[in-house]
Amino acid sequence: MNANVQAVKTPLGPRLRALPPVVWMLVVLALVFSITTPQYFALANLRNILVQSSALMILAFAQTLIVLTQGTDLSLGAQASLVTVLWVSLAKAGINIYLAATLSVCATVIVGMCNGLLVSKGKIPPFIATFGMQNVVSSIALLTTAGSSIYFSHYIFQFVTETRFLFVPLPVWIAALMFALTWLLLYRTKFGVNIFGLGGNPEALVLAGVNTVKSYVKVYAYAGFLAGICGLITACRVESGQPVVGMGWEFEAVAATLLGGTSLREGRGGISGTIAGVLLLTVLRNGLNVSGISAMYQNAIIGVIVMLAIVIDAMVRRVRGD
Amino acid sequence: MKKICIILLSAALLITMFTACSTPPASGKASQDSKPPAQSSAAPSAPSSAEPHASSSQASPSQGADIELPTTGIGASISTNLKANEKYTIACIVKNSTNPYMVGCLNGVQKAAEDMGFEAVLMAPSTNDSVEEQVKIMEDLIQKGVDGFVLVPVDTNGIMPGVRKAMEQNIPIATIGTPAAVDTFLRTGVDYTETGRLVGKAVAEKIGGKGEVIILEGPPGAQNAQERLAGIKESFEEFPDIKIVASQTANFKRTEGMQVTENLLQKHKSVSAIIGCNDEMAIGAIQAIKAAGLEGKVTVGGFDGNQDGSSAIYDGSLYISYNTDPFGSSYLAAVYIAQFLNDGTEPPQYFIPFPSEVDKPLITAENVVEYMADIAWWN
């Protein structure tokens, strides 16, 4: 009996300490904001934060996978914008709205596959390949609507953002679902093992007889799929197609990934930390907005805190010796 | 793997086909939509210029004149006798923090806060022109508990989730330039047709009611640009001897204004006037006129009354401009909101054009010194 208790108890201490530092920073920040603004800890505000983070959350999962393969996908934000525009314009052209959503997500999956081919077959560094793709994709998005935003009236947009299931809004559930899916893929399939392999030691993968081209294409295509889902949620959030809405999100996703403890160098890290990273960014932005701090200061404050978090993370790791 | 590739590729083909075929029916459908069409959010705006709005039809020229405003003056000299009964919090959310027009809006609400005694919260998205972030800011501020919004929405429809949440809480919203897709508490800012009509008329009179005129238009998709153009053309109806020899877009940009004018001057050497639909294009036209050696022979008109435009009026190269006054517009909007919070006074109508003809918004050599010293919204 005693031994049993012991067995349950011992892992708890190290487990708490093994939490990435970003979680602690998140707690500290939430405390600070709750002191400065009384309305901060209201249930409505927590819900607000979760809804606001859901789109970036999904995009950050995608980015985490790419970072795990030692790449960065700079086209993710543009892909999300493209989906908002495609979805609305297809629906406007008279296609069933669900079919239109599926088709637009297919489009970003194809974009992702092209990224994967460029990186693996073309041997172009991911940074360059996806940067090129970012420009192409955002041009397509702009051309689809001749540069303006596009609007279509359908109940689905409001339905997604305003429905609550067990007090939690639908976009948050979708993000949770994507987390579960990505987690399963990453830790329970060969595909996941290969992702870690691509980041850690690609040569070993080749020697082991794994087709790395296929693996790259798959992981970029899956990232495209997630960017597509992110785009669908975003379209619901703004009830229209916006060709530049996702501009810069790819970098926020990289920041969230790094905050979550995923390393840019070797295939180390995981998507659970990314959740904390995204929440940190959203909590910061929300807290600064609620405190009424102007955008010109916001970016500087967020930049400093992100850097601090990453430095603290690195220091903690060094002290721990891993 | 190969199968998936094929399936996806055929899906891509389908999509391309659908989008390619969709363009004509889509535009046909748009006209049936009861809501106003989505506005350009991508067009980068020159000061005050890409502020499209959907329902200009509501504004007739006389409307502005009949209304007794709760403020006096325009631009930096605007003032009010009203005071806020309580320390309300009124938020101003603009499109970005870099465009002088947007900065003018923020400063206007700040000034109103100082004059009336309420608290101003001044916000802009950290990513320029992000409507998604504007919605986030609105949601966050509703949580905080603000009493009113002065909004310059990036997009008529995109801002709706935020607008709806605010209206559910009965928070008054005043929009400037770009309206929301539904009628909110108030809409203000200039009536673009009126701006075109007044400047067009002044330029026509200056050239003696006859001669050749070139117009530099705004971006083709932007509705405010269309309305301004319509206003200019309307004003020329009184002058049958005026002939518009060319009307081309220069996208509200100075360099494009110069290039387009250079090209047009090759063909139309005897042109009497050029009207740029904003000051930036007008200044571009002036550069082209100087390069062609036609200085002093061509009357140039512009819109906005921005810093460079005012200097050009001062040195005589620009004849006239229209003060589009973001400072005064947002000041007026904030005053209306505070007045409503005080005693429930509603504005007399949804759209109050400001500054309109009665506010004497035209800037010429006669009043440019005074304008630059006391009124200009960019000071």
Side-chain angles (χ1 to χ4, degrees):
Chain A
M1 197 60 199
N2 218 352
N4 249 346
V5 173
Q6 221 39 31
V8 176
K9 254 188 175 172
T10 21
L12 196 71
R15 267 201 163 200
L16 266 181
R17 262 188 283 145
L19 279 176
V22 60
V23 176
W24 299 113
M25 289 203 74
L26 191 57
V27 173
V28 172
L29 268 179
L31 284 177
V32 169
F33 282 131
S34 61
I35 294 166
T36 54
T37 28
Q39 308 88 342
Y40 194 78
F41 254 124
L43 186 66
N45 197 36
L46 292 181
R47 197 184 281 144
N48 197 5
I49 291 173
L50 284 177
V51 173
Q52 293 186 353
S53 61
S54 49
L56 181 61
M57 189 79 83
I58 295 171
L59 208 68
F61 293 153
Q63 193 66 278
T64 305
L65 294 189
I66 305 290
V67 170
L68 281 174
T69 69
Q70 285 208 47
T72 31
D73 191 340
L74 299 185
S75 66
L76 289 175
Q79 291 185 32
S81 311
L82 176 69
V83 167
T84 67
V85 170
L86 267 186
W87 187 21
V88 177
S89 44
L90 288 175
K92 210 168 174 177
I95 297 172
N96 174 292
I97 195 133
Y98 303 102
L99 180 64
T102 319
L103 286 174
S104 358
V105 175
C106 283
T108 51
V109 171
I110 293 167
V111 170
M113 289 168 74
C114 296
N115 276 333
L117 281 174
L118 286 173
V119 169
S120 57
K121 278 253 167 154
K123 303 257 187 279
I124 304 173
F127 195 85
I128 309 289
T130 57
F131 178 67
M133 192 55 86
Q134 178 199 50
N135 289 308
V136 173
V137 169
S138 77
S139 270
I140 296 176
L142 281 168
L143 285 171
T144 310
T145 64
S148 63
S149 63
I150 181 167
Y151 173 75
F152 178 71
S153 170
H154 198 279
Y155 74 93
I156 182 88
F157 301 127
Q158 273 192 62
F159 175 81
V160 169
T161 47
E162 278 164 26
T163 307
R164 284 182 197 152
F165 179 63
L166 298 177
F167 305 106
V168 178
L170 215 50
V172 182
W173 283 111
I174 298 175
L177 188 72
M178 290 303 132
F179 172 75
L181 186 63
T182 313
W183 192 89
L184 283 176
L185 276 175
L186 200 54
Y187 298 108
R188 290 287 178 270
T189 65
K190 223 170 76 191
F191 172 58
V193 176
N194 288 347
I195 289 178
F196 284 108
L198 285 175
N201 192 347
E203 281 91 41
L205 274 192
V206 178
L207 291 177
V210 175
N211 182 345
T212 53
V213 173
K214 214 165 152 182
S215 304
Y216 272 119
V217 171
K218 268 193 198 164
V219 64
Y220 277 93
Y222 183 68
F225 166 73
L226 289 179
I229 302 292
C230 164
L232 295 184
I233 293 186
T234 307
C236 294
R237 284 272 298 163
V238 295
E239 295 177 15
S240 53
Q242 303 278 348
V244 288
V245 68
M247 203 165 40
W249 286 4
E250 58 277 355
F251 288 113
E252 286 197 34
V254 172
T257 303
L258 297 185
L259 281 172
T262 300
S263 163
L264 264 181
R265 294 249 176 70
E266 60 278 320
R268 239 185 11 194
I271 60 165
S272 317
T274 304
I275 297 184
V278 172
L279 285 179
L280 182 81
L281 290 177
T282 318
V283 162
L284 250 175
R285 184 80 72 190
N286 168 274
L288 293 174
N289 281 345
V290 171
S291 328
I293 290 171
S294 128
M296 288 181 249
Y297 299 105
Q298 281 194 10
N299 281 348
I301 295 171
I302 290 176
V304 167
I305 291 186
V306 166
M307 279 191 285
L308 255 182
I310 291 176
V311 167
I312 292 174
D313 185 72
M315 271 161 49
V316 169
R317 272 166 211 278
R318 198 170 302 161
V319 169
R320 265 191 220 146
D322 55 23
Chain B
M1 197 63 197
K2 254 189 186 161
K3 256 189 198 165
I4 299 175
C5 282
I6 293 168
I7 292 170
L8 286 174
L9 276 177
S10 43
L13 264 178
L14 261 178
I15 291 172
T16 342
M17 271 162 51
F18 279 130
T19 33
C21 302
S22 72
T23 325
S27 53
K29 252 201 154 119
S31 58
Q32 293 160 16
D33 267 352
S34 57
K35 302 238 176 156
Q39 298 301 326
S40 152
S41 64
S45 47
S48 97
S49 294
E51 320 302 335
H53 63 74
S55 40
S56 68
S57 50
Q58 298 166 354
S60 74
S62 62
Q63 270 180 335
D66 302 339
I67 298 166
E68 199 176 316
L69 299 175
T71 57
T72 50
I74 58 171
S77 63
I78 194 167
S79 65
T80 181
N81 295 324
L82 295 168
K83 294 275 176 242
N85 290 353
E86 288 166 50
K87 192 125 182 102
Y88 310 119
T89 309
I90 297 178
C92 179
I93 307 174
V94 295
K95 293 184 190 179
N96 56 59
S97 42
T98 49
N99 185 327
Y101 183 92
M102 300 302 154
V103 177
C105 277
L106 293 177
N107 291 341
V109 174
Q110 180 61 43
K111 179 82 189 328
E114 285 160 14
D115 289 358
M116 299 187 72
F118 62 83
E119 191 197 340
V121 179
L122 310 174
M123 306 293 280
S126 57
T127 310
N128 280 359
D129 301 339
S130 164
V131 69
E132 193 258 359
E133 221 177 297
Q134 281 192 321
V135 171
K136 278 186 184 169
I137 295 173
M138 282 190 84
E139 288 172 347
D140 290 345
L141 291 179
I142 291 169
Q143 288 304 325
K144 177 195 161 88
V146 291
D147 301 305
F149 282 108
V150 176
L151 274 186
V152 188
V154 171
D155 185 81
T156 299
N157 292 301
I159 198 70
M160 280 310 293
V163 167
R164 215 176 289 123
K165 280 192 183 121
M167 287 171 100
E168 274 167 20
Q169 311 266 332
N170 295 319
I171 302 173
I173 299 171
T175 57
I176 295 171
T178 316
V182 295
D183 281 11
T184 54
F185 173 71
L186 172 71
R187 179 190 158 202
T188 183
V190 291
D191 171 4
Y192 293 94
T193 317
E194 184 183 12
T195 61
R197 204 164 41 224
L198 292 183
V199 170
K201 187 169 175 230
V203 168
E205 282 167 358
K206 166 82 177 166
I207 59 174
K210 60 176 191 292
E212 295 184 343
V213 179
I214 291 174
I215 300 176
L216 301 175
E217 302 174 13
Q223 192 160 357
N224 60 337
Q226 304 298 331
E227 287 169 9
R228 190 166 279 170
L229 181 65
I232 296 171
K233 288 185 172 159
E234 200 183 307
S235 69
F236 287 170
E237 281 168 12
E238 285 177 44
F239 304 94
D241 295 334
I242 284 185
K243 198 176 151 222
I244 300 173
V245 289
S247 184
Q248 283 189 18
T249 179
N251 287 316
F252 281 152
K253 292 195 182 109
R254 190 182 296 195
T255 45
E256 285 190 44
M258 187 170 89
Q259 286 158 4
V260 172
T261 312
E262 276 169 356
N263 295 341
L264 289 173
L265 284 181
Q266 302 285 328
K267 201 171 148 196
H268 308 286
K269 289 205 167 61
S270 58
V271 65
S272 322
I274 299 178
I275 300 180
C277 284
N278 74 352
D279 279 348
E280 288 297 305
M281 292 190 294
I283 290 167
I286 289 169
Q287 287 164 345
I289 291 168
K290 282 182 182 160
L294 293 171
E295 219 173 334
K297 288 177 190 157
V298 186
T299 303
V300 184
F303 298 85
D304 287 344
N306 72 16
Q307 197 156 3
D308 290 355
S310 311
S311 312
I313 293 175
Y314 184 74
D315 69 30
S317 51
L318 182 63
Y319 169 61
I320 198 166
S321 189
Y322 191 107
N323 173 15
T324 45
D325 199 9
F327 186 92
S329 305
S330 70
Y331 187 101
L332 177 69
V335 170
Y336 267 120
I337 288 178
Q339 194 186 15
F340 173 73
L341 295 171
N342 274 347
D343 52 17
T345 312
E346 301 248 2
Q349 63 199 35
Y350 164 58
F351 181 27
I352 297 179
F354 182 87
S356 62
E357 192 169 359
V358 287
D359 303 305
K360 303 195 174 54
L362 293 178
I363 312 160
T364 58
E366 280 169 31
N367 62 0
V368 68
V369 176
E370 183 203 353
Y371 173 75
M372 285 164 87
D374 301 331
I375 296 174
W377 46 266
W378 32 265
N379 269 337

